């Protein structure tokens, strides 16, 4: 009695068909896991977002004006002024200017800039013999602009 078995009852058919199908399914599952952000990635994304040189904190929802505008920092006598490049720059509140000497021989300085008729102004001066790393942010730290103030420069532009 020669009875033939069904093709699907042969183990070799399952190895030839089933293993490649299983590897394709596992490949799609791995691709989905790699593309989809995980929980720890979402926490990092919500902490801070960088737009060019502008670091935007997640504490306050930044306005689109801050992400596209810039400021000019300039020395005027014994004052440091921050003047918006565009008149639509969001105004109000004080700004904190932090200056760090790039050669680390001079101490870190912090200047509080109060609102003025043109922008913000604070009492302070710079030693012209040092390059300075500059960070400017509002009191609520919703955004931060960073730049490099070279020695002997009278003004710099901070933009995203």
């Amino acid at each position: 009695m020669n009875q033939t078995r069904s093709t699907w009852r042969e183990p070799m058919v399952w190895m030839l068909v089933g293993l490649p199908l299983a590897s394709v399914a596992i490949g799609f599952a791995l691709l989905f896991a790699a593309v989809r952000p995980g929980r720890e990635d979402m926490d990092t994304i919500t902490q801070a977002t960088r737009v060019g040189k502008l670091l935007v904190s997640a504490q306050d929802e930044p306005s689109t004006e801050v992400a596209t505008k810039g400021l000019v920092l300039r020395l005027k006598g014994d004052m440091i002024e921050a003047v918006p490049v565009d008149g639509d720059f969001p105004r109000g509140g004080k700004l904190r200017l932090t200056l760090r000497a790039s050669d680390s021989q001079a101490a870190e300085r912090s200047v509080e800039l109060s609102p003025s008729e043109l922008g913000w102004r604070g009492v302070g001066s710079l030693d012209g013999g040092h390059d300075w790393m500059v960070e400017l942010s509002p009191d609520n730290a919703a955004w931060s602009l960073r730049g490099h103030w070279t020695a002997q420069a009278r003004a710099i532009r901070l933009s995203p």
Side-chain angles (χ1 to χ4, degrees), residues 24-106:
V24 168
I26 291 171
F28 278 115
L30 288 174
L31 181 65
F32 178 74
V35 172
R36 187 175 147 261
R39 183 73 186 149
E40 60 278 349
D41 293 337
M42 292 305 290
D43 291 341
T44 305
I45 290 170
T46 56
Q47 287 175 3
T49 303
R50 182 172 295 281
V51 179
K53 293 180 187 173
L54 178 70
L55 184 66
V56 180
S57 170
Q59 297 167 352
D60 296 313
E61 193 63 32
S63 63
T64 56
E65 295 91 25
V66 174
T68 59
K69 308 295 185 220
L71 292 168
V72 172
L73 285 178
R74 66 182 182 184
L75 293 174
K76 190 173 182 183
D78 63 343
M79 305 291 279
I80 297 177
E81 287 185 330
V83 180
V85 174
D86 189 358
D88 292 338
F89 196 92
R91 303 284 301 272
K94 295 182 179 182
L95 298 180
R96 173 151 314 275
L97 176 65
T98 305
L99 301 160
R100 292 179 196 86
S102 58
D103 59 5
S104 71
Q105 291 177 357

Side-chain angles (χ1 to χ4, degrees), residues 8 19 88 91 121 131:
W8 296 110
L19 285 176
D88 292 338
R91 303 284 301 272
R121 181 181 296 160
D131 286 357

Side-chain angles (χ1 to χ4, degrees), residues 99-109 127 129-133 148-149:
L99 301 160
R100 292 179 196 86
S102 58
D103 59 5
S104 71
Q105 291 177 357
E108 179 179 305
R109 296 182 186 180
D127 178 10
H130 298 287
D131 286 357
W132 297 92
M133 300 306 294
H148 184 204
W149 199 320

